[in-house]
Structures are given as structure tokens and as C-alpha cells.
Amino acid sequence: MFLWGTATAAYQIEGAVHEDGRGVSIWDTFAHEPGRTRDGHTGDVACDHYHRWREDVALMSGLGLNAYRFSIAWPRVQPTGSGAVNEKGLDFYDRLVDTLLAAGVQPVPTLFHWDLPQALQDRGGWMSRETAERFAEYAAIAARRLADRVPLWITLNEPFVHMAFGYAMGVHAPGQALMTDALPAAHHQLLGHGLAVRALRAAGARQVALTNNCTPVRAASADEADVKAAEAYDTLHNRLFNDPVVLGRYPDLSAYTAALDFLQDGDLETIAAPLDALGINYYQPTRIAAPTAEGLPFTDAGITGHPTTAFGWPVVPDGLRELLTGLTSRYGAALPPILVTENGCSQDDVLTEHGTVEDAGRIAFLRGHIEAMRQAMAAGVDVRGYFVWSLLDNFEWAEGYHQRFGLVHVDFATQRRTPKASYAWLKEFLAGQNTDT
Ligand code: FCB
């Protein structure tokens, strides 16, 4: 069955940050620090999904999709990231899973979508090897409770973005600006993924995947310096997170680090544990030029000549085809089947006086990207699912509530949900789909 779904993440939608024994996450801490998010927005309430989840499941079944990718908040399950389990936190996901299944929607949980328990951050977070071990324990706890009903699990969401924004540049939680010294945060996330694959399978999970944020990288010109810089960027963004998982080895990282002193014997075998699928999040391609200053071996040259989203991201549907066919040529038979686990766009959506949201741009975006995915499939790429980011307008990290990505508009003052024109379009589109293709 081809999975057609939407995706969300716990901190972006749940709210209820102090309820039922939930512990503090690094995003609670970060969002409450002055100047970290636009207008000081936090996820304290977000879409209040923790209380309104039944209404949100009804919105999903109304769409006619057959899968839903959400994330489990580690601090709800283990408030301090280790030791005692908070049963009330697990109960929430247990009810959600049952209600989704009753509505004909396959639950696809992601175990880590950036909301690390603060207590683990206080011991180094992903810069510390210990976090990888704690992550595997938490994965086993979640699977022991849910794997009888949840076939497919995703370990991490976008370890690249978490490393780059959270540990290298400091624009996301935990707000560290370590630049290339952040590389251990990549390795420990990947190690945590590998250990979790083992733990999940031992606890009864039937299928396991990892979600990477990938981008097709284009050189700004055919000049050797630009081409070399584009290769360096591709290594950092794509290969650093795909090669060890798919091939069991790191790419050449000598442009970034003198030695991989965080790497221990056996780690790569753990990280390369066979997967049932590789999740790919695609938003935009990247254009790279030679470095202009000391520091990183590349410069972002920006994509021009395309329309942009409210975020300023270029809209390039064909980049998805390019990415998927590129992964297939790079990894060949070693590449697991692909799930497009996120794709979508932010728009300056307005709720009209008639109670409608006319988001024609989002419809064009989704139509174009689904078509590009189909072209990749026709060219031989094994794609098994497509998830729209996102079901609801939600807390967009450092941008707070300023970027609206939802198929459903949320009025954050009243929590009123209003399906947008794109929701109606997707519903009609899905009604016409044979879910086998
Ligand atoms: C991805 C994140 C997701 C959302 C989208 C817009 O990088 O995984 O949580 O913020 O971007």
C-alpha cells in the first residue's frame, strides 16, 4: 500500500507542556530565552493538540489519507530522559494510535523530532555519547507499548538540521554555536539511530526507518572552485548522514575535521543496521559557490529564477525528482525503499470573511512535487509513500507562528481549525488514487 499522509511533530503542535508529568525539553528552555524565536513565541500552547487530538484525527480521516507521521515527545515518556517511565505520557500516544487505526489511518511515529529532555542536555546532549544509549532505551520503551499496533517506526528526524541549526549555528535548541566542532552531535545521533534500530526490532517493531533532510546541490558555475565547494556542501548536508547508514562508512570529512576521534570500533556496523525505508524530507535545492572568506569551504549562492514561499524558499518541484534519482544512482541496490516523509510550503494564508483560505500556491506546490515524485518513480526509484508537511499551521521553530505550513488553518487565539482550499484539493486528489501506486 502506498502511504499518503501528513506529518507533524510533538513540540510544534501539542502544547500542554506541563501536563501529565511531561518533563522539560530543550525547546521549552530555548523558546523561553529572550531573542531566540521571532516575537518570543513558544510551543507552550501551540495547536493544543494534546487536548484536541480527536478533532485533528477527524480532520485526517476527512482527508482520506491512510497514514499519519507524528512524533512522540521523549520528555512525556521519560521526563528526565532516563530511568522512570511516565505511563501517562505513553497513554496519550496509545489512545492516539488506537483512534488513528479505528479511522483507517496508519500511525507512523518518529521517536525524536528535536525535543530532547533538558536533563540529558545538561549532561552534554548529543555531544555526549551517553545520549545515544539513552535514546535506544527510550525507543524500546515506546515500542514495547505500541509496536503491537504500529508497524513502521522512524528513529530520528533530520539529524543534519538538528546538528547544523542546534549545535553548529545555534539558531535552534540547544542554541550552541560550535561550527565544525559540532560533528560529534552528528555521530552520536547516528549511533543513537543504529542502537535504536536494534532496540526497536527486539521490542517487536516490524519496520524501521530514519528521516534525513536532503537537498540536491548545484554548483553556481562550472568553475572548478565552485564545483569543489558544491561537493563539500553535498558531503556535509547529504552524505554525512546517508553514507554511514546506507554504506557503513563516512565520506571524506577532512575539510571539516582533522580526525574522527568520536568514532569507536563497531559504531559504523551499528549505524548501518539494515533499514526498511529511508525517509527523505525535501523542501528546496541548494546552489553553492566557492568560499568567500576563511571558515567553511563553501558559500550559499542562493537559487534564483523561481517563485518563493513565504519563508523565501525557492519552489523547485523538479528538485525532488533530481534528488530521488540522484540518491538511486549514488547508492544503487544498497538504497532502501524511499518514503517522502515531508514536503510542503509556508504561505501568507489569510482567513477570509467567508471563512475560507484560498491557498492556490500550496495546491500548485503539492501538485508539482507529487508529479516530480512520480517522474522519479517512472525512472525506477522505489518510493513507497508521501507525507505533506503539515496537517495544521503550527509552531515553526525559530519563526514561531509566523510561517503557516498547514492544510488546515489554525487561529492561534481561538484554536479554531479551518480546512484550506488545499485540504479540499488533496481530498479530491486522494479520492482518485489507487493506493497501490
Ligand atoms: C523541517 C522540519 C519540520 C518543519 C519543516 C518546515 O525541517 O522537520 O519540523 O519545521 O522543516
Side-chain angles (χ1 to χ4, degrees):
M1 181 176 74
F2 192 89
L3 300 180
W4 290 103
T6 59
T8 64
Y11 189 72
Q12 294 181 277
I13 65 166
E14 285 181 358
V17 292
H18 300 299
E19 261 171 80
D20 291 340
R22 177 186 178 280
V24 177
S25 82
I26 57 173
W27 265 98
D28 299 297
T29 309
F30 184 80
H32 278 275
E33 283 168 10
R36 293 297 204 176
T37 65
R38 225 169 126 187
D39 292 336
H41 288 170
T42 74
D44 287 1
V45 178
C47 307
D48 196 30
H49 172 77
Y50 193 75
H51 300 115
R52 294 169 196 265
W53 58 276
R54 280 186 194 281
E55 181 184 351
D56 295 337
V57 173
L59 283 166
M60 288 178 235
S61 60
L63 256 176
L65 40 77
N66 61 18
Y68 172 47
R69 174 173 178 247
F70 60 96
S71 82
I72 296 180
W74 186 349
R76 282 199 197 281
V77 174
Q78 278 182 305
T80 57
S82 59
V85 176
N86 176 34
E87 296 295 337
K88 280 192 171 168
L90 275 175
D91 290 346
F92 172 72
Y93 299 106
D94 201 292
R95 287 191 296 268
L96 178 65
V97 160
D98 282 345
T99 308
L100 287 165
L101 289 170
V105 179
Q106 179 181 324
V108 183
T110 299
L111 286 161
F112 180 68
H113 201 126
W114 307 346
D115 45 358
L116 193 78
Q118 182 62 45
L120 290 183
Q121 190 62 47
D122 297 342
R123 301 210 293 273
W126 290 108
M127 290 297 285
S128 156
R129 196 177 165 93
E130 187 212 342
T131 299
E133 286 154 24
R134 297 290 83 78
F135 180 64
E137 286 168 10
Y138 149 64
I141 292 166
R144 280 199 291 269
R145 176 65 96 85
L146 302 173
D148 57 337
R149 286 153 291 152
V150 169
L152 168 63
W153 293 74
I154 295 173
T155 55
L156 307 174
N157 178 70
E158 301 187 350
F160 167 75
V161 176
H162 192 52
M163 173 201 74
F165 287 17
Y167 287 87
M169 299 185 305
V171 294
H172 278 186
Q176 298 185 0
L178 301 170
M179 297 312 286
T180 53
D181 289 343
L183 276 175
H187 180 66
H188 296 141
Q189 285 186 86
L190 288 165
L191 180 64
H193 156 76
L195 293 170
V197 173
R198 202 180 287 161
L200 286 165
R201 294 205 196 280
R206 278 161 278 164
Q207 297 177 326
V208 187
L210 161 75
T211 279
N212 274 334
N213 173 296
C214 294
T215 179
V217 182
R218 300 163 179 185
S221 79
D223 288 359
E224 204 191 316
D226 287 344
V227 171
K228 230 178 114 203
E231 277 166 15
Y233 187 78
D234 181 41
T235 295
L236 186 67
H237 191 133
N238 299 313
R239 295 189 54 183
L240 172 58
F241 296 89
N242 288 328
D243 282 16
V245 170
V246 179
L247 304 175
R249 58 172 184 262
Y250 275 116
D252 176 10
L253 296 171
S254 53
Y256 301 102
T257 183
L260 305 181
D261 43 17
F262 42 78
L263 185 62
Q264 297 188 7
D265 281 352
D267 284 2
L268 285 166
E269 287 76 6
T270 303
I271 293 170
L275 291 181
D276 301 283
L278 181 65
I280 297 294
N281 292 354
Y282 170 71
Y283 288 94
Q284 55 181 319
T286 311
R287 193 163 152 263
I288 294 293
T292 49
E294 289 291 297
L296 292 170
F298 55 79
T299 317
D300 189 335
I303 299 265
T304 49
H306 292 270
T308 53
T309 70
F311 225 135
W313 297 353
V315 178
V316 189
D318 192 55
L320 179 57
R321 186 201 54 77
E322 183 184 339
L323 174 65
L324 296 175
T325 53
L327 285 167
T328 304
S329 17
R330 174 170 288 169
Y331 297 112
L335 187 71
I338 299 286
L339 291 168
V340 178
T341 39
E342 283 180 31
N343 178 234
C345 63
S346 65
Q347 284 204 169
D348 293 322
D349 295 321
V350 180
L351 186 60
T352 68
E353 59 193 59
H354 310 293
T356 58
V357 179
E358 302 303 333
D359 57 340
R362 181 168 292 105
I363 296 173
F365 183 101
L366 296 175
R367 191 187 272 134
H369 284 77
I370 291 170
E371 176 55 27
M373 172 180 76
R374 289 211 157 128
Q375 286 171 7
M377 291 165 79
V381 183
D382 183 4
V383 185
R384 306 276 177 96
Y386 176 88
F387 294 74
V388 177
W389 184 272
S390 181
L391 177 69
L392 305 169
D393 291 340
N394 60 43
F395 174 78
E396 178 46 39
W397 309 114
E399 291 286 306
Y401 297 96
H402 291 289
Q403 304 293 340
R404 293 183 176 272
F405 276 89
L407 297 163
V408 175
H409 179 275
V410 177
D411 178 331
F412 292 104
T414 62
Q415 289 298 338
R416 193 150 145 238
R417 274 93 163 120
T418 306
K420 303 178 188 176
S422 57
Y423 178 100
W425 174 82
L426 187 63
K427 181 182 168 129
E428 202 183 312
F429 171 85
L430 292 175
Q433 291 313 299
N434 169 353
T435 45
D436 290 335
T437 52

